[in-house]
Amino acid sequence: MGVSILATPLMQAADGLRPGLEAQKPAAELREGDKPAAGSGKPVPFQGKVIAVDAASHTFTTGGRKSSRVFRVTDATQILSSNQQSEFGAIAVGELVRGQAYKRGDGWEAKKVMIGPKEEAAPADSSARK
């Protein structure tokens, strides 16, 4: 008499499998050709002060409290300065930047870069709500 053990979802997750699907490659094993297209995946928000700009490679580096990140700017990247469309040249050392970026391999690809501090919203007129 043999004992039969059914694979539970937890056991499948431990083996890197999802129910009904084949094993998938870990992210670290993806090659350049395997990367998703620029618009796929969720962009991650970022904010920081620019500590370096490399115009030749279209990258800028932000410095945070614990580490720094290098962001690559592409033709698809939207750059705004004072809520106006701008160009890569507007990104300068010392500027506060914020935006969204996609994780690409060991780097970051900027989707949107907003230069300067976040503008405060004008307070709503409380007399109009009466």
Side-chain angles (χ1 to χ4, degrees), residues 36-118:
S40 66
K42 280 189 171 183
V44 177
F46 69 88
Q47 179 174 331
K49 188 171 275 197
V50 177
I51 59 172
V53 176
D54 184 349
S57 63
H58 273 78
T59 61
F60 65 93
T61 306
T62 61
R65 293 181 184 136
K66 296 181 182 179
S67 64
S68 62
R69 284 196 227 170
V70 177
F71 296 92
R72 186 169 48 98
V73 174
T74 66
D75 292 337
T77 303
Q78 180 183 14
I79 301 174
L80 300 172
S81 180
S82 301
N83 289 330
Q84 300 293 319
Q85 191 68 32
S86 192
E87 295 182 2
F88 180 79
I91 301 172
V93 173
E95 289 281 356
L96 181 64
V97 293
R98 65 191 191 287
Q100 301 167 342
Y102 296 105
K103 181 70 172 161
R104 298 283 188 246
D106 357 340
W108 294 91
E109 182 181 310
K111 174 187 176 191
K112 183 175 186 178
V113 179
M114 294 169 279
I115 304 169
K118 188 174 183 177

